[in-house]
Amino acid sequence: MTLALDPRDIRILQILSSEGRLSKSELARRVNLSPSPCWERIKRLEKAGLIKAYRAEVDLARLSAHVVIFVVVELESHRAESFRVFEEAVTKYPEIIECWAIGGGVDYLMQVVTGDINSYQRMIDELLESSVGLKRYFTYIVTKKVKSEPPALDLLLKPQID
Amino acid sequence: MTLALDPRDIRILQILSSEGRLSKSELARRVNLSPSPCWERIKRLEKAGLIKAYRAEVDLARLSAHVVIFVVVELESHRAESFRVFEEAVTKYPEIIECWAIGGGVDYLMQVVTGDINSYQRMIDELLESSVGLKRYFTYIVTKKVKSEPPALDLLLKPQID
DNA sequence: CTTGAAACAAAAGAGAA
DNA sequence: TTCTCTTTTGTTTCAAG
């Protein structure tokens, strides 16, 4: 199922991705629509799964001391079963907030958030001892977040349009 | 300014970080409060900057073909000025959606989203030619997103509580 | 797409536990 | 204080044109 999206839909998605709690009437104003058609577009986007969720972005820095760590992981074996086992383990650790399978000689990149380095090391040790197929890992500790913003949807779609 | 947060505040933050558009009355029900005190807590959390923003999470995969790429970057020089120059360049590229300064022998990790590999390479070439101090870079192409979820706030706060 | 009406939520205040 | 209850205003949702 393919959904026809016009520039207004893209703009709605773009606005909601930085102001997710904007009222539907204000959103309608911003895209030059009256509330009803705008409401129908939003519902359409939600039902089609283009809007996966709405989330509050919590400022962890103000909430508590913590560390953010990226871990590049290489597995011992590259059989399908090994990937499955590792990925299942990953889902079980709440400290691992993101994980991507990647190419380039290594297998996974994970983003980990814990209270301190010790709890990170404890988690890694546990992973190593739990025969989950972890062969090597490399730790990058985040010292500063330089940038974070949602993708520019119009820019991403331009190549398709012309 | 330090804000006293009780377990109910944490629960509110946790719920909103996965259901950002939940009505305040429903949220009140979930944390066993009536709407007014709950409303005041939310306002308090927003004003204190603990809730930085509300965002719709857009499913890029359903929106358009694209590639997600992680880039590990090493700079030529480690003078403060060099970092400043590079970070300023990073903010100018909308394709770079996240960037972290990291320890571990390299300097930055960036997450890039573009329409295809070619536009990624064009961006890198531009960065290399624009004397922004980029010495070496390593490209990890994402083949699959394994996991993505907001941090478990209660877990992160436990070490502070006991 | 517009109008418009009924249901619902947000915001702020008065006062009780 | 901190919550409950009430009121006003504005928003959401949807039917009908």
Side-chain angles (χ1 to χ4, degrees), chain B residues 15-16 33 45 57 59 75 82-83 94 107 109 115 122 153:
Chain B
I15 291 171
L16 287 178
L33 276 179
L45 295 170
E57 193 185 332
D59 190 343
L75 295 194
S82 311
F83 292 124
D107 299 312
L109 175 67
R122 253 180 274 131
L153 303 180

Side-chain angles (χ1 to χ4, degrees), chain A residues 53-69:
Chain A
Y54 294 92
R55 302 187 179 289
E57 193 185 332
V58 172
D59 190 342
L60 276 192
R62 292 186 198 220
L63 188 63
S64 84
H66 67 282
V67 287
V68 178
I69 296 153

Side-chain angles (χ1 to χ4, degrees), chain B residues 140-159:
Chain B
Y140 297 106
I141 295 174
V142 170
T143 54
K144 174 183 167 188
K145 187 188 270 186
V146 175
K147 182 181 189 176
S148 175
E149 63 179 35
L153 303 180
D154 50 350
L155 199 136
L156 212 69
L157 285 168
K158 235 169 234 161

Side-chain angles (χ1 to χ4, degrees), chain B residues 82-113:
Chain B
S82 311
F83 292 124
R84 204 195 53 72
V85 166
F86 181 78
E87 290 177 17
E88 201 184 307
V90 159
T91 62
K92 286 186 188 145
Y93 284 83
E95 301 96 322
I96 303 173
I97 63 164
E98 308 249 12
C99 178
W100 303 266
I102 54 178
V106 287
D107 299 312
Y108 293 98
L109 175 67
M110 314 192 295
Q111 185 178 2
V112 177
V113 177

Side-chain angles (χ1 to χ4, degrees), chain A residues 15-26:
Chain A
I15 291 171
L16 287 178
S17 60
S18 58
E19 293 167 81
R21 215 150 170 164
L22 202 64
S23 82
K24 294 186 173 58
S25 38
E26 172 59 19

Side-chain angles (χ1 to χ4, degrees), chain A residues 118-136:
Chain A
N118 292 332
S119 12
Y120 165 67
Q121 196 54 51
R122 253 179 275 130
M123 190 201 77
I124 288 285
D125 290 343
E126 208 180 301
L127 265 178
L128 286 167
E129 282 164 21
S130 64
S131 61
V132 88
L134 205 168
K135 180 181 178 188
R136 271 200 295 198

Side-chain angles (χ1 to χ4, degrees), chain A residues 8 21 33-34 36-37 40-41:
Chain A
R8 224 184 228 137
R21 215 150 170 164
L33 278 177
S34 45
S36 300
E40 273 157 29
R41 278 166 188 261

